[in-house]
Amino acid sequence: MTDQFYIQKVTEGDTESFRFLVDRYKDKAFSVAFSVLHDLTLAEDTVQEAFINAFRKIHTYRAEAAFSTWLMRIVVNESIKVLRRKKISMDAAKEIREVDEYDVNQSIQSIRENEQKHFIDLALGKMPPREALILELFYLEEQSLKEIESIMGLNTDNVKVILFRARKRFYSILQQELKHELKYIV
Amino acid sequence: MDREIQKPDNLKYLLDKANRPKASDELTNLIMGKIKAVEVKDKAYNKDIKRSWFFIGVAILGSLLWVFVFTHFEPNLFKWLNKYLTDATQILTYVYLSVFLGFAFYQLNNLFKYQFAHFKKGDFN
């Protein structure tokens, strides 16, 4: 059964059909909210709020975009609301240091697997929310640029710029975090 | 920056190692529970809102009727009412104002609480 089938049933008043959509997309929604908020409890609350909003607005959904794209936009908007309430900016003003991606890749390969995880999590946690979100959407959720445009409400050029900046910043932060570790290894 | 020409990408390989917490198994039930509660609440709100509009309508029609009665039949009605009670028309006007208009304001308050709540919050979506 496709999403459209269940969406149709929900709009006809069968609330229980929404359970299928929640089950199918809750993990994705949770990953997206977590990438922005970096907090398990907040991410879970945000996902709940997003699904409730989606349920209330489901009659406005037009099948022009995939349901998941429409839903992720709601999740992103809810996450941004939470950040605003906490007065956290979506962007960072800090400049990005130039970094050689190849070197960072070599460095991280030289440490143990569990340490690699630790440093990658640390770097992601220090990313500005918008950039962390775009990395999540592009690399982990494997959304196309068109879908990311739609989810983040940006145009193609902006998406490309943020993606490029996010990539640079991730490597830059990772390099900083690895510095001490590498000194220890050397 | 096309996805096809980006592959293979070391960044994807690195990010795949990141800790990606999963939503709890209970989340679906929690969401469905809240949705059902919201549905019940929304239905009650809609019922309230419909009732409020109905009473506001009744109050408006009542006012028009009141004006109509006093402009067309006032002399006869006035005489007839005052036979039974001195200043009856005035008393009735006060009763009307306090009961019908008071109720209409109460219903308007309900509308502002529910139907126009998003204006208060500044949410215009």
Side-chain angles (χ1 to χ4, degrees), chain A residues 45-63:
Chain A
D45 290 347
T46 305
V47 169
Q48 285 180 37
E49 209 51 49
F51 272 108
I52 291 169
N53 273 351
F55 175 77
R56 277 179 158 158
K57 292 180 182 169
I58 203 157
H59 60 279
T60 66
Y61 168 70
R62 302 281 169 266

Side-chain angles (χ1 to χ4, degrees), chain A residues 116-139:
Chain A
Q116 287 179 15
K117 271 181 187 299
H118 166 74
F119 283 109
I120 291 165
D121 285 342
L122 211 62
L124 279 175
K126 290 189 172 179
M127 296 280 290
R130 196 187 302 276
E131 292 175 13
L133 171 65
I134 210 162
L135 290 184
E136 166 80 24
L137 291 173
F138 189 76
Y139 289 103

Side-chain angles (χ1 to χ4, degrees), chain A residues 15-16 18-19 23 26-27 30 48 56 116-117 120-121 136 138-143 167, chain B residues 1 3 6 9 11-12 14 16-17 19-21 23 27-30 34-36 39 42:
Chain A
T15 308
E16 202 49 39
F18 198 70
R19 184 181 288 275
D23 263 335
K26 69 174 179 183
D27 284 332
F30 187 73
Q48 285 180 37
R56 277 179 158 158
Q116 287 179 15
K117 271 181 187 299
I120 291 165
D121 285 342
E136 166 80 24
F138 189 76
Y139 289 103
L140 298 175
E141 298 297 339
E142 302 201 332
Q143 303 277 336
R167 190 188 169 94
Chain B
M1 199 180 295
R3 179 171 290 286
Q6 286 249 321
D9 192 333
L11 183 53
K12 167 144 180 66
L14 287 184
D16 273 334
K17 293 184 177 190
N19 173 34
R20 300 184 73 208
L27 191 61
T28 306
N29 288 334
L30 216 61
K34 282 195 172 179
I35 281 175
K36 278 173 188 162
E39 206 184 12
D42 281 354

Side-chain angles (χ1 to χ4, degrees), chain A:
Chain A
M1 296 288 178
T2 60
D3 289 352
Q4 197 53 46
F5 171 78
Y6 290 99
I7 292 165
Q8 184 68 32
K9 288 193 91 175
V10 176
T11 51
E12 284 166 3
D14 179 7
T15 308
E16 202 49 39
S17 290
F18 198 70
R19 184 181 288 275
F20 167 83
L21 298 169
V22 175
D23 263 335
R24 179 176 268 188
Y25 294 113
K26 69 174 179 183
D27 284 332
K28 190 173 180 172
F30 187 73
S31 289
V32 168
F34 184 78
S35 72
V36 177
L37 301 165
H38 302 299
D39 181 305
L40 291 173
T41 317
L42 275 182
E44 201 156 296
D45 290 347
T46 305
V47 169
Q48 285 180 37
E49 209 51 49
F51 272 108
I52 291 169
N53 273 351
F55 175 77
R56 277 179 158 158
K57 292 180 182 169
I58 203 157
H59 60 279
T60 66
Y61 168 70
R62 302 281 169 266
E64 293 149 3
F67 177 74
S68 64
T69 306
W70 182 77
L71 180 67
M72 288 314 123
R73 178 151 196 182
I74 297 177
V75 173
V76 168
N77 285 343
E78 279 303 318
S79 306
I80 292 171
K81 271 189 202 168
V82 174
L83 284 183
R84 272 193 205 139
R85 251 179 264 142
K86 291 173 69 105
K87 298 195 183 350
I88 297 171
S89 165
M90 274 291 275
D91 301 291
K94 280 184 187 169
E95 279 185 25
I96 308 165
R97 285 183 198 194
E98 272 307 311
V99 60
D100 186 336
E101 292 181 13
Y102 178 78
D103 282 350
V104 182
N105 273 311
Q106 290 296 105
S107 307
I108 194 131
Q109 300 302 338
S110 68
I111 58 175
R112 283 199 302 264
E113 180 84 16
N114 61 337
E115 286 172 333
Q116 287 179 15
K117 271 181 187 299
H118 166 74
F119 283 109
I120 291 165
D121 285 342
L122 211 62
L124 279 175
K126 290 189 172 179
M127 296 280 290
R130 196 187 302 276
E131 292 175 13
L133 171 65
I134 210 162
L135 290 184
E136 166 80 24
L137 291 173
F138 189 76
Y139 289 103
L140 298 175
E141 298 297 339
E142 302 201 332
Q143 303 277 336
S144 69
L145 290 179
K146 270 263 164 265
E147 285 167 328
I148 297 174
E149 273 175 57
S150 179
I151 292 170
M152 296 181 73
L154 300 168
N155 63 36
T156 317
D157 290 340
N158 283 342
V159 169
K160 284 180 183 174
V161 168
I162 297 169
L163 190 53
F164 178 75
R165 212 167 49 203
R167 190 188 169 94
K168 287 269 170 218
R169 198 184 305 273
F170 176 76
Y171 276 113
S172 167
I173 296 172
L174 196 56
Q175 189 187 44
Q176 290 295 309
E177 295 301 328
L178 283 168
K179 253 183 188 170
H180 297 293
E181 184 71 17
L182 293 175
K183 266 184 202 161
Y184 175 74
I185 291 169
V186 171

Side-chain angles (χ1 to χ4, degrees), chain A residues 55-56, chain B residues 37-49:
Chain A
F55 175 77
R56 277 179 158 158
Chain B
V38 160
E39 206 184 12
V40 170
K41 212 169 154 191
D42 281 354
K43 271 184 189 160
Y45 281 180
N46 286 337
K47 211 171 145 192
D48 270 359
I49 286 164

